[in-house]
Each structure stands twice: as structure tokens, then as C-alpha cells.
Amino acid sequence: TICEATSTRQFEAETLARQADIMIVVGGKNSSNTNKLVKICKQHLKDTYHVETLDEIRSDWFVGKRRIGVTGGASTPHEFVDRVGSFIKTLLEAQQ
């Protein structure tokens, strides 16, 4: 079984993946929780990327995408997930 917080996070990631054009899942490559989120999102959206650092994010992923979902694993600090979102926003602004 999984705890309620993990279950909720998985449900929310799935819901977001169903609505987005691209998903970015932030967290450790060895995190089973984060890897499960990636698997769930990829079931609904092939354009799902698992990143651990900002350096892994590529601007070409976002070409033609309008709805970008960003989520993080349970052990990923919320501040870092927010930082990834801000970094993506900066990338998109540079493309305009």
C-alpha cells in the first residue's frame, strides 16, 4: 500500500498529464516515487520528461506546446519544482 499523500500526488500528476501538452517530472533518478510519477504520466502523455537538474531541460521540448505540467516527487523540495517552472518560463520567453 501507499500513503494517502503519495496516492494523492499520483492522482494529481495523472490528472495534469491528461490536460497538458508536455509534462516535466522533477526528482531524483533513483527515487522510486518520482519514477512512478514518470510512469503514470507517460501512460497518458508520451511527452513526459524526468529531470533531476536544470541542465537537463531542453528548450526544443517546448516548441509548439501550450500547456506545460510540472510536478515533483515526494522528496523533491517544492522550491526546486518552482525553480524548474521559472526556468521553463524564462526559456519560453527567450524563444519569442
Side-chain angles (χ1 to χ4, degrees):
T1 62
I2 58 174
C3 70
E4 185 176 338
T6 298
S7 177
T8 299
R9 184 179 301 270
Q10 290 176 359
F11 175 78
E12 290 174 353
E14 179 180 5
T15 301
L16 190 55
R18 289 177 185 263
Q19 298 171 6
D21 297 319
I22 182 173
M23 279 296 294
I24 306 299
V25 182
V26 183
K29 301 289 184 174
N30 295 322
S31 164
S32 61
N33 175 269
T34 303
N35 284 315
K36 178 68 174 180
L37 291 176
V38 172
K39 183 178 178 182
I40 289 168
C41 291
K42 281 189 174 187
Q43 288 175 349
H44 302 285
L45 184 63
K46 73 174 179 99
D47 289 331
T48 295
Y49 299 93
H50 180 180
V51 300
E52 193 170 27
T53 67
L54 294 177
D55 294 338
E56 296 174 86
I57 300 171
R58 296 181 31 197
S59 60
D60 61 307
W61 293 346
F62 305 98
V63 174
K65 309 294 187 208
R66 295 189 55 145
R67 295 169 300 195
I68 300 165
V70 179
T71 191
S75 60
T76 305
H78 186 70
E79 296 79 20
F80 187 65
V81 176
D82 288 344
R83 205 162 122 209
V84 167
S86 295
F87 182 78
I88 292 168
K89 181 180 178 190
T90 301
L91 280 178
L92 296 175
E93 288 171 350
Q95 289 178 353
Q96 294 178 350

